[in-house]
Amino acid sequence: MTTEAVAKNPIEKLRYPIGPFQTGKTYSDEDLKKFVDTLEAFPAQLKKVVRGLRKEQLDTPYRNEGWTVRQVVHHIFDSHVHAYIRCKLAITEDNPVIKPYDEKKWSELKDARILSPLISLSLIDNLHKRWVIFLRSLKPEDFDRTFFHPEHNRTFQLREMLAMYAWHCNHHFEHINQLRKSKKW
């Protein structure tokens, strides 16, 4: 879906509050530094936007047929831990085939539906500390390394993946932020 199509469709605007991720772009070394900075700042921003929400608010979906705030937070950890591992695989192996996972089914599992988001917030904080240290240890040419994603039937460079996960941080932050604004929480 294009950014223009999302802007014209209120339902898609709730689904993609900052617009969909745009593939096929080229990313500079300076872009990569900004993406890593986004990953570093994100845990504190996420904690702040979730802070003070009561149980019924945590169990409110950000849109009809969407995930609850609780599920979004747990999804972020699930997704980002996969991304971290994929980065390490790409650095230590030649174009490894990664293992996809069904994020919808994971979000419906009991832990994602009932556990306090504080658990995943803590995990995200520590995961991002390791991820950022790892990413900052890489040389610019390391970001040209790749992995193959069988679900998408294509190879991804770490440059694009890093852009995608910086977008992912902002995307889900806005899901929760927009919900709070619309509900006046």
Side-chain angles (χ1 to χ4, degrees):
M1 177 157 286
T2 66
T3 302
E4 296 79 27
V6 167
K8 293 177 183 176
N9 183 327
I11 293 170
E12 289 301 307
K13 183 69 176 154
L14 288 173
R15 188 171 175 202
Y16 295 104
I18 64 168
F21 179 73
Q22 301 295 312
T23 59
K25 292 185 175 183
T26 303
Y27 301 102
S28 69
D29 293 344
E30 189 58 38
D31 291 331
L32 297 177
K33 288 177 185 169
K34 290 177 186 172
F35 300 149
V36 172
D37 289 346
T38 296
L39 293 178
E40 182 176 44
F42 179 66
Q45 294 166 339
L46 184 61
K47 283 179 189 174
K48 186 176 179 182
V49 79
V50 172
R51 184 180 302 132
L53 293 178
R54 298 181 314 275
K55 182 186 180 313
E56 62 273 8
Q57 293 169 324
L58 291 170
D59 293 328
T60 302
Y62 68 88
R63 66 179 172 86
N64 287 339
E65 299 177 26
W67 290 335
T68 66
V69 172
R70 181 186 314 272
Q71 288 171 303
V72 169
V73 172
H74 293 308
H75 158 73
I76 291 167
F77 173 73
D78 293 341
S79 176
H80 290 200
V81 77
H82 276 84
Y84 171 70
I85 291 167
R86 291 169 182 176
C87 285
K88 288 199 149 193
L89 288 169
I91 293 299
T92 60
E93 300 178 23
D94 290 327
N95 198 37
V97 177
I98 58 93
K99 171 110 175 69
Y101 74 104
D102 188 330
E103 64 182 33
K104 283 185 124 179
K105 286 184 180 177
W106 281 43
S107 74
E108 294 165 6
L109 294 172
K110 191 169 186 176
D111 64 324
R113 289 185 294 106
I114 67 164
L115 282 178
S116 168
L118 294 176
I119 294 167
S120 283
L121 288 170
S122 177
L123 291 167
I124 291 164
D125 186 41
N126 288 299
L127 171 65
H128 277 237
K129 285 176 184 166
R130 282 201 61 188
W131 198 5
V132 166
I133 288 169
F134 169 71
L135 291 169
R136 288 191 175 140
S137 76
L138 300 178
K139 298 179 293 251
E141 60 269 21
D142 291 334
F143 290 96
D144 297 330
R145 296 199 49 97
T146 61
F147 62 83
F148 182 78
H149 198 308
E151 190 174 65
H152 297 288
N153 196 31
R154 70 175 273 244
T155 296
F156 285 83
Q157 268 192 338
L158 287 186
R159 288 178 184 276
E160 182 178 17
M161 185 197 151
L162 189 52
M164 187 183 320
Y165 277 88
W167 170 87
H168 193 255
C169 290
N170 296 322
H171 169 70
H172 285 305
F173 172 86
E174 279 304 316
H175 281 146
I176 300 167
N177 191 44
Q178 293 298 320
L179 177 64
R180 286 192 77 141
K181 285 180 181 178
S182 72
K183 299 286 189 181
K184 297 181 177 31
W185 291 342

